[in-house]
Amino acid sequence: MPVQNVEIAELFNRLADLLEIEDANPFRVRAYRNAARVVSGSSRSMADLIAEGRDLDELPGIGKDLAAKIATIVNTGRLPQLEQIETRTPRALSQLMQLPGLGPKRVKLLYRELNIRSPEDLTRAVRSGRLATLPGFGPKIVARIAAALEQAPVASQRLRLDAAEQIAKGLVNYLQRISGVKSVEVAGSFRRRRDTVGDLDILVTCRANTPVMQRFVKYDAVAEIISQGTTRSSVRLRSGVQVDLRVVPAVSRGAALYYFTGSKAHNIAVRKIAVQAGLKINEYGVFRGDQRIAGRTEQDVFAAVNLPWIEPELRENRGEIEAAQHGTLPKLITLSDIRGDLHCHTRETDGEDTLQDMARAAQAHDYAYLAITDHSRRVSVAHGMDSKRLMAQIRAIDKLNAGLENFRLLKSVEVDILEDGRLDMPDRILKQLDLVVGAVHYKLDLPRSKQMSRLLRAMDNRYLSILAHPTGRLINSRAPMDLDMEKLLLAAREQECAMEINAQPERLDLDDIHCKLARDTGVKLVISSDAHSSHGLDGIRFGVDQARRGWLNASQVLNTLPVDKLLAALRR
């Protein structure tokens, strides 16, 4: 199988990490990071585009040099520039940069002063007290690093949902092309759309004597065959992900899909209901004694225990069974309910495309509106918007809107929330915008009391419409800020400040738990892509996934409204 986008992006990100440690030109570092983002966010496989003869330098932010490197990776599975730098800078140093408090300067100091080359070396330095001897490594930083090192092995075992999606898509396409295969479905936490996935469970139905298992273990991305049988096989891919494949008969397809979708806690709770009714549920069906009474479809499995079908995203034993019994399951929001995106960036700051490009892409999504939220000046990006540039962008948007029909670009900004809670843009400018998105981008390690005071003061500003990626987490690499979320959400409700479900796969912030808490608290919510390019708008689906896991229906998400009602709802 050709090299997948997620593998290409991982190589570029690792190269950028090591170059940053070596104090390479920051524009060069940014180019590799942008390339990783473009590749990982593309809905098309780079390998497929190359096979079709497409010029990759037509992709946003990808010039001829990067296009050539992508082609090299696709054709050889290698990136020579990365291999060269790894001869002088240990590869594992890029892992250290994922830990909170460890940027390139500190990682370089660890390497040069203590010869720390890996997380294991760092753990030993923490335990021996050597880490505390270095300048800049005070007790708080050392404590944060120690806590992160304890969590890192668990986090690293799970794959972000977007990476899992790319891997699963390639496998499903491969298996569907086998003659005799009737259906291929991915179950497990992937089907429940959890923000991270531990492994992939794939179920296949097929005609007798179909060589599914023989073909499965010969998949090009397989690095190790763990086991191989007639109805079940397990492999480990180059990416490190374990994939379990099961062939199930059509009569048990629904039961197997239900059983392997999970979660374990949900399945146990439903099995208890079955036992009380004198039934048994397993991956082969629902049985009364030795008689199978259901199993062909999931609906049949639920009906056998007198339950309506429960959406996979809800199956976590968080009240969905009781809601099903009482007929109060929510009608979950869908991607088609979204009428516009309220967080995206253009090339004016750290995006890749123009206002016109973003408008065209939004119209292609059948959106009625799109908010342009380029960064403010203070901290977020090197060339953020100051008042003068933002006013120029406001005029440009007004001019562009004059020529658009049935679509509107909304004037906005992603303003930094400063350490003291002020917004990094004067009110005289903010009041001229359609909406204001505010976010914390630095000093994420403040103590809870100071962080809460910061956010509460920010929400006191009547012009702050939406608090973006509220906890500041980065999945598998940065813990959320230390916040009292119940207090924060109550304040958001009282101040009528909306909370964002940021759909960037490395954020998914608010997460599913906080989505449900916000829903139960009565907080206004929006789902936004935080796109940095026109193709990045596609990623909003990941935010919809988390909203569904948080029990949200369309009426609880503001950007399912027409533009006039949306702006009225955001007005404070």
Side-chain angles (χ1 to χ4, degrees), residues 13-52:
N13 275 324
R14 198 191 314 157
L15 178 56
D17 287 343
L18 298 183
L19 285 170
E20 199 165 7
I21 291 169
E22 292 191 342
D23 284 332
N25 185 311
F27 293 103
R28 187 181 175 202
V29 173
R30 180 181 294 182
Y32 285 121
R33 295 210 189 281
N34 286 342
R37 187 170 62 207
V38 169
V39 170
S40 64
S42 175
S43 59
R44 294 292 312 278
S45 161
M46 296 296 108
D48 288 347
L49 293 176
I50 290 172
E52 293 170 8

Side-chain angles (χ1 to χ4, degrees), residues 54-201:
R54 295 279 299 277
D55 291 329
L56 297 186
D57 55 3
E58 295 177 356
L59 295 172
I62 304 294
K64 291 188 181 299
D65 181 65
L66 285 169
K69 287 180 171 63
I70 293 171
T72 297
I73 297 171
V74 168
N75 293 327
T76 69
R78 299 168 53 215
L79 180 56
Q81 292 78 8
L82 176 61
E83 294 173 1
Q84 182 181 18
I85 196 173
E86 286 177 343
T87 63
R88 59 182 186 267
T89 304
R91 170 179 180 173
L93 292 183
S94 65
Q95 291 178 261
L96 298 182
M97 282 185 60
Q98 308 310 312
L99 296 173
L102 287 185
K105 291 182 180 178
R106 282 188 170 137
V107 169
K108 187 189 332 181
L109 185 66
L110 292 173
Y111 177 48
R112 291 181 178 176
E113 298 298 324
L114 299 180
N115 197 31
I116 289 174
R117 298 166 172 261
S118 68
E120 293 74 22
D121 290 343
L122 183 57
T123 299
R124 286 190 287 270
V126 169
R127 291 173 179 171
S128 68
R130 290 187 301 142
L131 191 61
T133 66
L134 293 178
F137 285 85
K140 290 183 179 179
I141 289 291
V142 172
R144 287 183 66 207
I145 291 171
L149 285 167
E150 289 182 7
Q151 298 171 5
V154 176
S156 64
Q157 293 171 9
R158 298 189 65 86
L159 199 65
R160 274 188 357 213
L161 181 58
D162 60 323
E165 185 174 87
Q166 289 186 23
I167 292 169
K169 182 179 178 181
L171 272 162
V172 169
N173 290 340
Y174 174 79
L175 293 169
Q176 285 176 333
R177 292 196 296 267
I178 300 173
S179 178
V181 167
K182 297 179 180 179
S183 69
V184 182
E185 292 159 303
V186 186
S189 55
F190 178 85
R191 186 170 181 239
R192 301 198 314 276
R193 306 306 283 172
R194 278 195 60 179
D195 50 18
T196 61
V197 174
D199 51 31
L200 293 174
D201 295 291

Side-chain angles (χ1 to χ4, degrees), residues 550-568:
W551 293 55
L552 297 181
N553 61 42
S555 67
Q556 293 155 338
V557 176
L558 296 184
N559 50 319
T560 63
L561 295 170
V563 65
D564 291 340
K565 290 185 178 180
L566 166 77
L567 295 178

Side-chain angles (χ1 to χ4, degrees), residues 405-557:
E405 294 184 8
N406 302 317
F407 178 80
R408 179 174 168 185
L409 280 179
L410 300 178
K411 294 167 284 191
S412 184
V413 67
E414 183 179 3
V415 62
D416 269 316
I417 297 174
L418 305 179
E419 186 175 357
D420 63 1
R422 291 179 297 117
L423 303 185
D424 180 34
M425 192 69 73
D427 286 355
R428 62 180 174 81
I429 301 295
L430 298 181
K431 69 181 182 182
Q432 299 184 56
L433 301 170
D434 293 310
L435 59 101
V436 175
V437 174
V440 171
H441 291 103
Y442 74 111
K443 293 284 186 180
L444 284 82
D445 57 349
L446 291 178
R448 173 178 288 205
S449 60
K450 290 186 178 180
Q451 203 69 274
M452 286 297 298
S453 295
R454 176 189 198 177
L455 292 177
L456 294 176
R457 181 181 179 186
M459 287 194 295
D460 280 341
N461 188 311
R462 60 177 293 197
Y463 298 113
L464 180 64
S465 313
I466 301 166
L467 181 60
H469 40 80
T471 76
R473 75 160 181 172
L474 293 177
I475 295 172
N476 286 348
S477 64
R478 186 171 73 199
M481 293 184 288
D482 186 8
L483 300 173
D484 182 337
M485 285 303 294
E486 290 190 26
K487 183 177 180 180
L488 186 68
L489 291 171
L490 284 169
R493 184 188 69 188
E494 295 303 314
Q495 296 282 24
E496 297 188 321
C497 179
M499 287 283 182
E500 179 188 71
I501 304 170
N502 188 290
Q504 282 290 324
E506 66 269 25
R507 291 190 183 275
L508 297 182
D509 180 16
L510 300 170
D511 65 13
D512 56 340
I513 299 294
H514 292 143
C515 284
K516 192 170 189 299
L517 181 60
R519 165 192 181 269
D520 295 342
T521 305
V523 174
K524 297 177 180 179
L525 291 159
V526 302
I527 305 173
S528 299
S529 69
D530 196 357
H532 287 66
S533 65
S534 54
H535 68 266
L537 297 176
D538 294 339
I540 202 167
R541 69 184 187 279
F542 294 108
V544 173
D545 289 337
Q546 298 313 301
R548 288 170 62 85
R549 285 180 56 79
W551 293 55
L552 297 181
N553 61 42
S555 67
Q556 293 155 338
V557 176

